[in-house]
Amino acid sequence: MKPMHIKGAAAFAGLTLAISLAGCSTDEPGSTEAGGSYTTSEVSDGDTTFTVVDNPGDYPDLSYGSESGVTLLEEEIDGSTVAFKDMNANGELDTWEDWRLASTERAADIAGQMSIEQIAGLMLFSSHERSPGDGLTDAQKTYLSESNLRAVLNAAGSDAGTTVPWVNAMQAYVETLATEDTPYVPVNFASDPRSTAGSGGYNADGADISRWPSNLGLAATFDPAYTLQFGQMASAEYRALGITTALSPQIDLATEPRWLRVGGTFGEDSDLAAELTAAYVSGFQGSDGAADWGTESVNAMIKHWPGDGPGEGGRESHTEVGKYGVYPGGNLDEHIKVFQAALDSAAVMTSYSISLDGDGQPLFEDRMGTAYDTGLMSILRDDNAFGGVVVTDWGVMTGKNDEGAFIATAHGAEDLAPAERYVEVLGTGHDMFGGVNDATILLEGAALWQEKFEAGELDVDAETRFQESGARILKMFFDAGLYESAFLDPEESASVLASDDKVQAGYDAQLASIVMLKNDGVIAEGVDPSELTVYIPQSEDNGVASLFGPATYSQGPTMDLDAAAEIFGTVVTDEVVLNDEGVATSITAPDLTDVDLVLVGMDSPNNGDNFSGAGHDVETGEWYPFSLQYRPYTADGDNVRKVSIAGDILEDGTQENRSYFGNTSRISNEADLDAFERAVAAVEASGSDIPVVAVLKAVNPIIPAEFEADADAILVSFGTSDKAVYDVATGAYEPSGRLPIQFPANMDTVEAQLEDVAKDMTPYTDAAGNAYDFGFGLNWSGVIAD
C-alpha cells in the first residue's frame, strides 16, 4: 500500500495529534506483538531532545531530532502499523528510506543521488577528536557543513556523561543540514581500540567500560571464544557511546619481534591470528549474540593491509624512519592469509609501508606506500575480490615537504602534487582518507580525475568513480542502522556500559591470558593473600622524544599498590628521594625481614613509540638498533646487517644505508632491571628465603637471560590489570595462558631471524629445560599440553 505521510518532527505537537489520530499513542506503551502499532516518545540528554519511534515486534525502532524536519510515513505490514522516516520530506517512501531493503540497494540508491561534492565529504575521515566535553565546536560544524564530512574519529575516553550529549548534538546538527538537494547523512563515529586494561590513556583501568586483555593477550588464551565474546560485548559498549565503526582489529602478523606495534597484534602464528581475526570481526559485526547486523553491530576495519609487521629492524612506519617493510623470506602470502580469514569485514585499512623484497627492490613496480601501490592493492581488490570500504591510514595524503606537514606518511609519493596523490590513491581502489577534515584538495583531485578521463587516461568519469565509493561507504551506515536511529538514550547507554556481566567477562579473559613461564614451587592454590606481606619495588623511565614533544620522565611503583592493598595484608615499597624536577636521586629497598613475597613489574624494554622516530638520531644521523634486553646492546655480531635491505634512493642513484652495525641500543626503562636486581639484593640481605616473582608486562618479546636465574617465578601479562596478575600469583586462578610469540635466547638470534618470517628464532631455555617458545606456558601441574 502507499505509505501514509504523517506531519511531525518540525512541530512536535502536530505530530502528537496526527499519531493519535492514526491509532498510536505517545503516552501508552505500544504492543510488541504482531498486529500492534508504533508509539513515540521524547528523550533528552539535557541538551538535545529527540523523538523515539518504537515500532512493534522486531521491526526497527527509529529516532530523529526534534528540530530536524524529519516526518513519518506509515505502512501496514502483516497487521502491524509501522513507521518509516521520510528524511527528504517528499511524502514518498524512497528506496534508501525503506529499512526492509538490503543495505547495498539502499546505499546505491542514495549514492546515485549525491553530487561529487557530497560524496567527497563521505570519503573524509576526521582527525582525532579528543574533547567531547567541549560539545559541538565551530570547527566541527565547519567540516560537517562545508566539507560534508561524516566519519568522525572519537579519540576521547569512554565517559558517557560527556560523550552522549556530544554525539546527540552532532547527529541533530547534521539532520538540519539536509535539504532537497542535499540528502541526509548521519555521522559515523569511529574509534581505535579502547577496551584494553592497563595500557594507559583511554585504554586503562576504570569503571566506564569493560576491560579486556590486549589483542596479544587474547591470542595468549589460545581460545577464540574469548575474542568472540569480547567482540560481542565491546561492540555493545561502542554503540552505547555512539561508535559504529571500530578501527580494529589490528591483524598485522608479528613476525618481526622488535616491531613497536607487536602488542596490538594477535601474535606471529598465521593460523591462530586468522582464527582470532574471524572471531573478532564476527563478534563486532553481529548483534545480541547473533551473526546478523543489528543495534549492537559495529563495522570492523581490519588493518593494516597487507600486514605492517615486517618493518626492517622493527622500525615503525608512522615516521620516515620506519617507512620500509622488508620481505627477505619472500613470505608475503602468509601475512595476507590473516586478512583472508575476515574479508567479510566492512572495511580494510592499508599500511604506511613501502614493501621491498630481500634485495631492496619493490615487491611490485611501485616503490611507494601501500595506498599508492597498485600491485598490493590489486591483490586485495582483484585477487581477493574485496568489495568493502578501503581506508588509508592517517596522514597518507600528506607529504613530508608539504606546507604545515605534521603527520606526513605519503611514503614514496612526496613529490606528487597533493591533488595528484588523491588521483593515485583513488586509482588503487581506496574509498576514504584518514585524518583529512577538509575536502578542498580531494575536490581538486576529482577535477584532475575528470581531466584524465576526458583525455582517455582513465576508464571511468569522476562522478561514477565517486559514486562507487559512496555506495560502499554508505553501506556501513545502513548496516549499522544509523539511518533508522543515530541518537543515544543516556539511560540506555548507562545500562550497557561497564555492566556487571561485561566487566566480569573481561576480567575472566584477563585471567585466562596470563602466562606462567617459570614456577619453582612459588605459585599454587590455597594461598591466603590477606595474611601475606608483599614488597613491590619502584622504577623509572626516562621516556623517548616524539613528534608530540620531548621525552617525559616518569617514576613510580612497578605494580599497582592500591590494588595490592586490597588483596594482601601489608604492602611495602621502596623509599624514593626526588629532586625539585621530580626525578629520583635515590631508590632504596626496605628491610624485607617480615616480607613473604616479592612482586617486580617489568615493562618490555622501551625502544620508543609509533611517533618517536626511534632507530635514528636526527642530530647525528646515526642509525641505532632496537633491543629486547634491558642493558645496552651493541649490534656488532655476525648476524647484524652491515648494509640495510632498505633505504632511500639518493640523488646519485645509490641506496642509502640504514645499517646500525656497531651502534648501541637506547632503552629508556633500563631501571626496570635495576628494580629487579635491587629486590633480589634486598632478599639476600634479609637472610630469608623470600620468593621473587618477575611480572613481565609485555608488548614485545623479552629476553629473559638477564633475570630468569634469579626469579623464582615468571608471569607474563599482555595488557591486563595488575589485579588479575595478583589473582594468578596468589593461586586464586590457575594460569592457562601460553606464549603467542617466541621469547628469544639472545639478540644474536633476533638479528639472524627474517623480518617477514614467523617463529624463526632460537627460544630462551631456562634452568629447568623449558624453552620459551611459541605456545609454551605452565599451569600448576607443569607444561600445558597443546
Side-chain angles (χ1 to χ4, degrees):
M1 66 177 284
K2 180 179 176 62
M4 180 177 177
H5 183 257
I6 305 295
K7 181 69 177 176
F12 186 75
L15 175 63
T16 303
L17 175 61
I19 291 179
S20 297
L21 293 173
C24 306
S25 171
T26 59
D27 300 315
E28 300 297 326
S31 169
T32 58
E33 302 295 330
S37 297
Y38 68 89
T39 63
T40 67
S41 60
E42 276 194 325
V43 176
S44 175
D45 59 28
D47 295 318
T48 300
T49 300
F50 57 95
T51 298
V52 173
V53 181
D54 184 4
N55 269 320
D58 294 330
Y59 300 123
D61 295 335
L62 316 175
S63 67
Y64 52 91
S66 59
E67 311 217 349
S68 66
V70 170
T71 55
L72 292 179
L73 305 168
E74 66 177 38
E75 278 199 3
E76 297 291 324
I77 303 178
D78 296 331
S80 296
T81 303
V82 299
F84 299 81
K85 291 196 294 185
D86 185 7
M87 290 173 272
N88 59 5
N90 68 353
E92 301 290 335
L93 183 60
D94 297 301
T95 296
W96 62 276
E97 296 171 328
D98 191 341
W99 40 254
R100 294 168 297 185
L101 300 178
S103 59
T104 50
E105 184 178 357
R106 297 176 72 187
D109 178 58
I110 190 171
Q113 301 175 38
M114 298 176 77
S115 67
I116 286 178
E117 288 76 15
Q118 291 159 1
I119 293 175
L122 294 179
M123 301 170 88
L124 307 181
F125 225 125
S126 85
S127 54
H128 297 64
E129 294 288 1
R130 305 183 190 276
S131 303
D134 294 341
L136 181 59
T137 66
D138 289 341
Q140 292 161 4
K141 288 181 179 179
T142 296
Y143 66 55
L144 293 169
S145 62
E146 296 182 11
S147 286
N148 299 303
L149 182 149
R150 291 297 185 272
V152 175
L153 175 52
N154 179 354
S158 300
D159 173 50
T162 56
T163 300
V164 168
W166 177 59
V167 167
N168 286 339
M170 194 173 289
Q171 296 291 11
Y173 179 70
V174 298
E175 280 186 334
T176 68
L177 299 178
T179 68
E180 183 177 351
D181 298 322
T182 304
Y184 163 62
V185 182
V187 176
N188 172 18
F189 287 94
S191 175
D192 282 310
R194 60 175 54 237
S195 306
T196 303
S199 299
Y202 55 80
N203 282 292
D205 294 322
D208 51 0
I209 196 171
S210 62
R211 302 292 172 178
W212 300 72
S214 67
N215 274 8
L216 205 54
L218 290 170
T221 70
F222 278 72
D223 185 350
Y226 285 108
T227 303
L228 177 62
Q229 186 180 42
F230 164 68
Q232 292 168 337
M233 290 187 165
S235 63
E237 292 182 309
Y238 276 35
R239 291 301 298 264
L241 293 168
I243 297 164
T244 45
T245 295
L247 305 186
S248 58
Q250 183 194 337
I251 63 173
D252 310 280
L253 202 56
T255 50
E256 168 47 62
R258 296 164 290 186
W259 186 42
L260 297 180
R261 301 192 71 179
V262 167
T265 75
F266 287 129
E268 63 180 315
D269 181 80
S270 59
D271 290 330
L272 177 61
E275 188 175 23
L276 297 180
T277 297
Y280 191 114
V281 171
S282 177
F284 263 81
Q285 294 188 169
S287 182
D288 197 26
D292 298 329
W293 291 92
T295 57
E296 294 183 352
S297 295
V298 172
N299 295 290
M301 186 182 296
I302 53 179
K303 63 184 186 182
H304 309 84
W305 173 270
D308 211 19
E312 186 167 18
R315 295 188 287 257
E316 168 47 36
S317 59
H318 272 79
T319 68
E320 275 282 302
V321 172
K323 67 182 178 182
Y324 293 107
V326 294
Y327 292 82
N331 202 32
L332 174 65
D333 288 348
E334 188 170 8
H335 291 256
I336 288 175
K337 174 183 175 181
V338 185
F339 289 83
Q340 291 170 326
L343 289 177
D344 59 338
S345 179
V348 170
M349 184 187 295
T350 52
S351 75
Y352 291 129
S353 296
I354 299 171
S355 298
L356 305 179
D357 64 19
D359 295 323
Q361 298 302 311
L363 290 184
F364 299 94
E365 61 184 35
D366 300 310
R367 192 182 178 89
M368 307 173 86
T370 301
Y372 301 88
D373 191 319
T374 55
L376 287 176
M377 292 307 302
S378 178
I379 295 174
L380 176 63
R381 283 297 197 195
D382 300 328
D383 298 353
N384 285 281
F386 180 70
V389 173
V390 177
V391 186
T392 74
D393 209 332
W394 270 235
V396 167
M397 306 315 297
T398 302
K400 63 181 180 180
N401 299 320
D402 292 2
E403 183 178 355
F406 181 54
I407 305 297
T409 51
H411 298 324
E414 296 89 348
D415 293 336
L416 293 177
E420 291 175 334
R421 292 187 200 129
Y422 281 97
V423 171
E424 291 293 319
V425 174
L426 285 167
T428 62
H430 282 68
D431 303 297
M432 300 185 74
F433 308 97
V436 181
N437 287 7
D438 188 325
T440 301
I441 300 176
L442 172 55
L443 291 174
E444 292 175 7
L448 181 58
W449 181 287
Q450 184 65 21
E451 290 177 16
K452 289 179 176 292
F453 168 72
E454 293 172 0
E457 298 176 32
L458 293 171
D459 294 334
V460 297
D461 63 277
E463 182 177 56
T464 300
R465 176 63 188 86
F466 272 59
Q467 288 180 349
E468 176 185 36
S469 283
R472 286 197 286 247
I473 295 165
L474 286 164
K475 182 178 184 297
M476 296 200 302
F477 292 66
F478 286 111
D479 280 336
L482 275 171
Y483 270 89
E484 279 58 71
S485 184
F487 289 86
L488 300 177
D489 182 326
E491 291 186 4
E492 290 184 5
S493 291
S495 70
V496 171
L497 292 165
S499 60
D500 290 344
D501 60 328
K502 297 182 183 68
V503 170
Q504 186 60 54
Y507 191 71
D508 290 344
Q510 290 183 50
L511 292 170
S513 72
I514 293 171
V515 182
M516 185 163 68
L517 295 181
K518 181 178 181 179
N519 184 24
D520 288 349
V522 174
I523 300 175
E525 60 183 329
V527 175
D528 182 1
S530 67
E531 298 180 354
L532 300 179
T533 296
V534 64
Y535 163 52
I536 297 173
Q538 303 259 335
S539 187
E540 54 192 331
D541 190 325
N542 293 319
V544 180
S546 77
L547 291 176
F548 297 100
T552 301
Y553 172 86
S554 60
Q555 190 281 318
T558 62
M559 300 193 73
D560 188 328
L561 298 182
D562 291 335
E566 295 176 1
I567 294 176
F568 298 100
T570 304
V571 180
V572 298
T573 189
D574 295 321
E575 179 183 345
V576 181
V577 177
L578 303 176
N579 63 19
D580 293 341
E581 285 74 41
V583 176
T585 58
S586 69
I587 303 178
T588 307
D591 181 354
L592 302 191
T593 301
D594 296 323
V595 168
D596 301 299
L597 177 67
V598 176
L599 290 168
V600 186
M602 303 172 69
D603 291 337
S604 289
N606 185 4
N607 289 283
D609 64 25
N610 298 348
F611 298 98
S612 62
H616 185 239
D617 188 316
V618 177
E619 293 183 1
T620 66
E622 175 186 295
W623 295 88
Y624 59 89
F626 289 171
S627 177
L628 301 181
Q629 65 184 42
Y630 295 94
R631 298 301 183 213
Y633 159 66
T634 299
D636 55 5
D638 292 340
N639 292 318
V640 180
R641 294 182 187 126
K642 294 183 179 179
V643 177
S644 61
I645 291 175
D648 293 344
I649 303 301
L650 305 177
E651 291 184 5
D652 62 3
T654 62
Q655 180 173 290
E656 169 195 29
N657 185 7
R658 296 187 167 195
S659 171
Y660 48 75
F661 182 83
N663 297 329
T664 302
S665 62
R666 303 182 183 187
I667 301 299
S668 68
N669 64 328
E670 183 182 349
D672 282 10
L673 184 56
D674 295 337
F676 177 84
E677 292 179 348
R678 184 168 59 254
V680 171
V683 169
E684 293 176 351
S686 74
S688 302
D689 187 15
I690 307 170
V692 178
V693 179
V695 179
L696 309 181
K697 301 181 181 186
V699 294
N700 287 90
I702 297 170
I703 294 172
E706 294 177 304
F707 55 85
E708 179 270 323
D710 291 323
D712 297 291
I714 300 175
L715 296 175
V716 186
S717 163
F718 297 106
T720 73
S721 64
D722 286 350
K723 184 178 184 301
V725 176
Y726 297 149
D727 276 351
V728 173
T730 57
Y733 183 92
E734 182 173 13
S736 59
R738 296 188 282 148
L739 288 179
I741 46 178
Q742 293 180 307
F743 275 28
N746 48 48
M747 282 304 297
D748 188 59
T749 189
V750 173
E751 297 288 6
Q753 60 87 38
L754 302 178
E755 283 90 341
D756 61 325
V757 177
K759 297 177 287 189
D760 59 344
M761 295 187 294
T762 301
Y764 179 82
T765 300
D766 65 17
N770 289 320
Y772 296 175
D773 206 348
F774 172 84
F776 173 75
L778 300 172
N779 57 23
W780 294 330
S781 301
V783 178
I784 300 172
D786 290 341

